[in-house]
Amino acid sequence: MDAKPKKVKRPMLSNIRFIWGLMWQNDRPYCFWTVLEVITGVAQAFFIVYLPKVAVDLLTQGVPARALWLTLGGFTLCMTLNGILYGRVYNASYYRFNGVRSVYSYKLFAKTMTDDYQTIESAEGQKRYQLARSANDSAWGGWGSAINITVD
């Protein structure tokens, strides 16, 4: 009987911990920029959704025009400043990520390509290896060239 390969459980939380561990190890400020990007992005969505509600509430309450324009103007100013901050934070986070993307990709790739020799040397293992290599060659723009393992 053929022994079935063990399925390795990799829950989502484990993957997130792995990526954040890599980020912390290789580029700690990137962790800060990522958290700030999430916070400003959520705040921007809040402003976009909440602005019409504030306007309608003020109009239905019969607030004087001056108070209406000051409130909506202040709200819009906060929304604009948050949008500018979000744009800056997004760009900083994006450029920092591009600086270390190859490190993350390589380490993730190496982590997923570990296997025992018994599986690799079997006929089924060789078939899977060739399928993976052809998929990598065609889909990932040359990442297959990173797999130069030949098992005789």
Side-chain angles (χ1 to χ4, degrees):
M1 275 187 115
D2 291 330
K4 290 186 178 182
K6 290 187 240 176
K7 284 196 170 189
V8 179
K9 291 183 180 180
R10 291 197 172 98
M12 182 62 75
L13 189 58
S14 171
N15 292 339
I16 291 170
R17 266 195 312 259
F18 177 74
I19 287 292
W20 275 91
L22 283 177
M23 288 175 11
W24 189 256
Q25 181 182 14
N26 293 304
D27 192 9
R28 289 184 183 180
Y30 179 63
C31 295
F32 167 75
W33 290 114
T34 302
V35 169
L36 193 57
E37 179 184 355
V38 169
I39 291 169
T40 55
V42 169
Q44 192 66 14
F46 169 79
F47 282 127
I48 290 169
V49 170
Y50 206 66
L51 179 63
K53 182 204 179 306
V54 169
V56 169
D57 285 349
L58 290 174
L59 288 172
T60 56
Q61 291 173 3
V63 175
R66 179 176 165 85
L68 174 74
W69 288 111
L70 285 174
T71 304
L72 291 180
F75 200 84
T76 305
L77 178 65
C78 289
M79 184 173 82
T80 303
L81 293 175
N82 184 69
I84 292 169
L85 178 63
Y86 174 74
R88 300 276 180 167
V89 167
Y90 174 80
N91 286 339
S93 177
Y94 178 77
Y95 291 124
R96 290 196 82 87
F97 177 72
N98 278 341
V100 292
R101 179 179 9 196
S102 60
V103 173
Y104 300 149
S105 298
Y106 179 75
K107 287 189 179 185
L108 278 172
F109 183 73
K111 183 178 180 182
T112 59
M113 291 302 291
T114 55
D115 207 348
D116 60 348
Y117 286 110
Q118 185 178 17
T119 304
I120 293 172
E121 292 173 352
S122 69
E124 181 66 25
Q126 284 293 303
K127 181 180 173 185
R128 287 185 194 169
Y129 166 73
Q130 290 303 326
L131 287 172
R133 183 167 182 161
S134 66
N136 285 330
D137 282 338
S138 62
W140 289 359
W143 261 94
S145 61
I147 311 174
N148 311 353
I149 306 168
T150 52
V151 179
D152 296 322

